[in-house]
Amino acid sequence: MCHSILLYGAPIWRCATETEAYIRQAEAVHRRACLRVISGRPHVSYDATYVIAGVPPLALLADERARIYQRRPEDVKEEERRETLRRWQDRWDRAPKGRWTHRLIPKITEWVERGHGEVGYYLTQLLSGHGYFKSHSQRYDNTLSALCPACPSTIENAEHVFFRCPRFQEERERLQQVLQEEIEPENITRLMLMTAGKWLAPCKGNRDVFKFTESCLVYRTFISQNFCYPLGRWWRRHHDAKTSWWLEVRYSFRRIHTRFNS
């Protein structure tokens, strides 16, 4: 639906995509739709958003529509889509941003033409590098430290959390048993694309790991602002303490506190 509206009359206005100001206005809407698809954060770069969503940039799609229109009545949609993917790959290889995503997804065609797997909130955090990591949170709050609490000399980012951090060694070993190969940033998507089962395994492990880092960030924020216990007293005073929300928060904090101090 989004493409049918945005690309209406594309063969006519395609030349306008050569003007940066014009195409940026249209791409802002297109990118917002792609972010909805992948449940991504608004800070993810344009190029990385398109690749993770598996949707070519709007300018390339408009150019493709124009080429198909010029070659009518031939059935050249598949041929022109191949040309679009080739141009998109060239653009992706030269893009200055989204280098972490490029490291995970270097070949666009393999990713776009996969026969299984959906991208969700936690998988997008791994693929984009934007999530509940201290290095990312520090960009918006410079009072926070970017260092990993378990590895004081190492920055806590997506690569460290998912592939290196000893806090999640157990989850990592379970995942490697399923994939039957040691995971690295350079091979994780290749392994996921093999079968539907191998796609789901990293998604589950990734969700468990990132849900924990998300809870840790909330926990640290509450503690640093002396906010945790007043919130608990307020909630118990105004609501039923047995509600599922409060029980979940209380359980998460207890689990995090135990893991931090074990």
Side-chain angles (χ1 to χ4, degrees):
M1 182 63 180
C2 175
H3 283 167
S4 64
I5 296 174
L6 285 174
L7 294 172
Y8 182 77
I12 299 173
W13 58 261
R14 182 204 61 81
C15 57
T17 62
E18 299 173 4
T19 303
E20 184 72 15
Y22 295 157
I23 190 59
R24 274 298 178 182
Q25 292 181 34
E27 279 186 335
V29 179
H30 191 226
R31 174 174 171 271
R32 194 175 302 125
C34 291
L35 284 173
R36 293 283 184 90
V37 170
I38 65 175
S39 301
R41 294 188 164 208
H43 320 101
V44 182
S45 69
Y46 277 72
D47 291 303
T49 299
Y50 290 138
V51 170
I52 296 172
V55 178
L58 188 63
L60 295 181
L61 288 175
D63 194 49
E64 178 186 303
R65 292 285 181 95
R67 295 196 308 270
I68 293 173
Y69 180 78
Q70 291 169 0
R71 297 181 63 180
R72 70 187 192 286
E74 299 177 66
D75 185 10
V76 294
K77 288 185 178 180
E78 185 174 343
E79 179 184 341
E80 293 299 343
R81 175 47 58 100
R82 291 290 177 187
E83 175 63 17
T84 298
L85 290 174
R86 186 191 65 78
R87 296 185 183 187
W88 188 13
Q89 183 68 57
D90 291 341
R91 171 172 166 169
W92 181 228
D93 292 337
R94 293 183 283 104
K97 296 183 178 180
R99 292 297 84 192
W100 166 249
T101 305
H102 185 278
R103 189 176 170 190
L104 297 174
I105 312 175
K107 303 297 182 183
I108 289 177
T109 302
E110 296 176 1
W111 179 258
V112 171
E113 296 182 349
R114 66 182 187 274
H116 58 267
E118 295 183 358
V119 178
Y121 176 64
Y122 292 106
L123 181 57
T124 295
Q125 291 189 44
L126 171 63
L127 296 176
S128 66
H130 289 244
Y132 287 96
F133 318 115
K134 297 181 73 175
S135 61
H136 185 254
S137 300
Q138 190 191 42
R139 296 169 59 181
Y140 311 103
D141 184 356
N142 56 18
T143 63
L144 296 175
S145 169
L147 299 178
C148 173
C151 313
S153 61
T154 306
I155 293 177
E156 184 187 271
N157 54 23
E159 178 179 3
H160 176 72
V161 168
F162 193 75
F163 295 97
R164 314 283 181 234
C165 188
R167 287 179 294 170
F168 309 109
Q169 183 62 31
E170 182 180 342
E171 291 87 344
R172 202 173 297 119
E173 289 176 353
R174 286 201 302 266
L175 175 58
Q176 290 175 159
Q177 287 178 357
V178 175
L179 298 178
Q180 299 179 342
E181 189 172 335
E182 184 175 351
I183 58 171
E184 292 291 340
E186 288 73 20
N187 69 2
I188 185 66
T189 54
R190 174 178 61 80
L191 296 172
M192 292 171 65
L193 293 175
M194 286 182 175
T195 64
K198 289 189 175 182
W199 175 280
L200 293 174
C203 289
K204 182 181 183 304
N206 172 65
R207 183 177 67 249
D208 294 341
V209 169
F210 289 164
K211 282 183 73 174
F212 181 78
T213 59
E214 180 179 352
S215 300
C216 286
L217 182 63
V218 174
Y219 178 78
R220 285 192 294 263
T221 303
F222 278 6
I223 293 299
S224 64
Q225 297 178 357
N226 295 318
F227 205 44
C228 179
Y229 299 111
L231 175 66
R233 288 198 300 271
W234 178 87
W235 186 267
R236 285 192 295 271
R237 188 164 60 246
H238 291 83
H239 297 270
D240 181 2
K242 294 183 180 180
T243 57
S244 59
W245 185 91
W246 174 247
L247 289 176
E248 182 179 349
V249 171
R250 189 169 59 182
Y251 171 74
S252 297
F253 281 179
R254 186 186 302 121
R255 181 165 58 93
I256 295 166
H257 186 75
T258 302
R259 194 160 182 175
F260 272 163
N261 293 280
S262 59

